[in-house]
Amino acid sequence: MGEEPEQSPVITTRMSHDLLTQVCSLPTAPFVESQVVAFVERFVKAHRSMSLQRDRFGNLLISLPGRSRGPRWVFTAHMDHPGFVAERMIDNRSLHARFHGGVLSTYVRGSRVRFFSGSDEIRGTVTDVVDGDRGYPATATVRVAQAVMAGSVGMFDVGEGRIRGKRFHSRVCDDLAGAAAALAMLDQLSRKRPKSPVAVLLTRAEEEGFIGAIAASTDSKLLRKTDRLIAIECSAAQPYAPIGGGCIVRIGDRTSVFNSAISYFITQQAEALAKADRTFKHQRALMPGGTCEATVYDVYGYTAGSICVPLGNYHNMDKAKGKIAAEFIDVNDWDSMVKLFIAIARNGHTFSPDHAMLKQRLEARFEKFKNYF
């Protein structure tokens, strides 16, 4: 508890931004995350200090041993994004596809899409949808340029990852930008391993209601009850937590609030970083735009907190224009999130789950004023 915090290494920004662009350009949708999985496999193979495990549901765990034993810090992000899965050709130009995720049907009808069928990228236009729950499509009919293989991933055709000024735009930020940040952290930590062991859990089918996270919490051998979990998200920007205001210490979501001790620890690390690094910016907020995986981990008895970046055009819905558009985040917000991950990993061994450091502050205050009674 009294140890000096370790200093985080300088992040190689260009390398990290290349990673962000590459990961957010991968095709993905719930239950069809195979191209993200293949990228992660190549990433781990290029880092000999890391190992990769998977459970029977397809969740991935990348592990980096610490320099000493102790509870493990697990940063977790999901590998999917709302999208289409091709089912069958109705005729030579019409495709029947499933849709997974929370995008309102009014946005999906008439939208341009792109299917990744083998080595081909096939463009199409949604001509009709059948509504499922909450006004989201269950299935769609898509007019396509050529036949699409069953099982192919379809995404809104709004472009791959690219940086424009201070912003990063892509057909998917939520949550591949979070996954990319976790990989950027591991890349930095592998050069000088922290004291505590660190892992990254990448889950499947979050957009259908945290399916991978529930599996990892209840019927998987990837997690331990002693783990300290940080759920990573791109969360819909709020008036009090704007894009460009820094990464966010997320203390809760639409459904629940997260572990108090871990939220306090994350905040401490952010405040220390802000004093040491003038480019680092952070915010602290409850983000009610949706529910995140930290709620799942909390429900199943894990010590969990969350960090996110504010997101524009959540789930590709440009509400100002009423149409599908690229999601976007602020590049500096993302850089700050990576820096905060590294600081937490490097100083994780100082975390006190019983609020020991906060108790010391409160008791010192009491000692100063108790004789005034």
Side-chain angles (χ1 to χ4, degrees), residues 238-258:
Q238 303 295 324
Y240 49 83
I243 295 170
C247 65
I248 299 168
V249 181
R250 187 176 188 176
I251 60 170
D253 58 24
R254 179 186 294 171
T255 303
S256 71
V257 293
F258 309 143

Side-chain angles (χ1 to χ4, degrees), residues 23-30 32 36 79-85 99 111-116 122-124 126 142 152-159 170-174 176 316 324 327:
V23 174
C24 290
S25 296
L26 296 168
T28 190
V32 282
V36 181
M79 297 185 285
D80 63 318
H81 183 74
F84 304 81
V85 183
F99 188 85
S111 63
R112 293 179 300 164
V113 298
R114 185 179 297 236
F115 280 86
F116 301 85
I122 301 170
R123 292 181 176 180
V126 177
V142 187
S152 298
V153 180
M155 302 190 75
F156 295 116
D157 196 10
V158 289
S170 183
R171 61 192 172 216
V172 49
C173 291
D174 172 24
L176 293 191
N316 300 114
I324 291 293
E327 293 186 325

Side-chain angles (χ1 to χ4, degrees), residues 338-351:
V338 176
K339 291 177 181 179
L340 184 53
F341 290 172
I342 294 171
I344 291 166
R346 292 214 174 278
N347 299 310
H349 59 284
T350 68
F351 170 65

Side-chain angles (χ1 to χ4, degrees), residues 103-175:
V103 183
L104 294 172
S105 295
T106 52
Y107 287 83
V108 178
R109 286 188 182 92
S111 63
R112 293 179 300 164
V113 298
R114 185 179 297 236
F115 280 86
F116 301 85
S117 180
S119 59
D120 295 327
E121 295 187 16
I122 301 170
R123 292 181 176 180
T125 302
V126 177
T127 57
D128 194 19
V129 301
V130 175
D131 285 344
D133 296 335
R134 296 183 293 172
Y136 303 151
T139 62
T141 303
V142 187
R143 187 71 172 168
V144 290
Q146 65 189 73
V148 178
M149 292 189 299
S152 298
V153 180
M155 302 190 75
F156 295 116
D157 196 10
V158 289
E160 297 183 344
R162 67 272 188 194
I163 294 175
R164 298 288 184 268
K166 294 181 179 180
R167 287 185 171 177
F168 175 80
H169 303 255
S170 183
R171 61 192 172 216
V172 49
C173 291
D174 172 24
D175 189 26

Side-chain angles (χ1 to χ4, degrees), residues 36-212:
V36 181
V37 171
F39 184 94
V40 172
E41 289 172 340
R42 294 192 297 271
F43 175 86
V44 174
K45 189 175 181 179
H47 294 78
R48 294 185 178 180
S49 56
M50 301 176 197
S51 61
L52 182 65
Q53 297 171 266
R54 68 193 74 209
D55 63 18
R56 64 191 184 93
F57 307 98
N59 296 314
L60 304 180
L61 186 78
I62 311 169
S63 298
L64 179 69
R67 290 185 281 115
S68 61
R69 294 187 177 184
R72 183 174 62 174
W73 285 85
V74 180
F75 296 77
T76 175
H78 59 90
M79 297 185 285
D80 63 318
H81 183 74
F84 304 81
V85 183
E87 285 202 323
R88 67 181 186 278
M89 295 298 297
I90 301 170
D91 55 43
N92 61 356
R93 295 294 300 276
S94 296
L95 170 70
H96 180 81
R98 299 194 316 272
F99 188 85
H100 295 286
V103 183
L104 294 172
S105 295
T106 52
Y107 287 83
V108 178
R109 286 188 182 92
S111 63
R112 293 179 300 164
V113 298
R114 185 179 297 236
F115 280 86
F116 301 85
S117 180
S119 59
D120 295 327
E121 295 187 16
I122 301 170
R123 292 181 176 180
T125 302
V126 177
T127 57
D128 194 19
V129 301
V130 175
D131 285 344
D133 296 335
R134 296 183 293 172
Y136 303 151
T139 62
T141 303
V142 187
R143 187 71 172 168
V144 290
Q146 65 189 73
V148 178
M149 292 189 299
S152 298
V153 180
M155 302 190 75
F156 295 116
D157 196 10
V158 289
E160 297 183 344
R162 67 272 188 194
I163 294 175
R164 298 288 184 268
K166 294 181 179 180
R167 287 185 171 177
F168 175 80
H169 303 255
S170 183
R171 61 192 172 216
V172 49
C173 291
D174 172 24
D175 189 26
L176 293 191
L183 296 182
M185 171 199 69
L186 284 177
D187 180 67
Q188 294 292 319
L189 293 177
S190 67
R191 303 174 194 188
K192 182 187 175 184
R193 287 186 294 170
K195 286 188 177 181
S196 296
V198 175
V200 169
L201 175 66
L202 299 173
T203 61
R204 300 183 63 197
E206 188 270 355
E207 301 294 358
E208 274 295 356
F210 323 107
I211 306 305

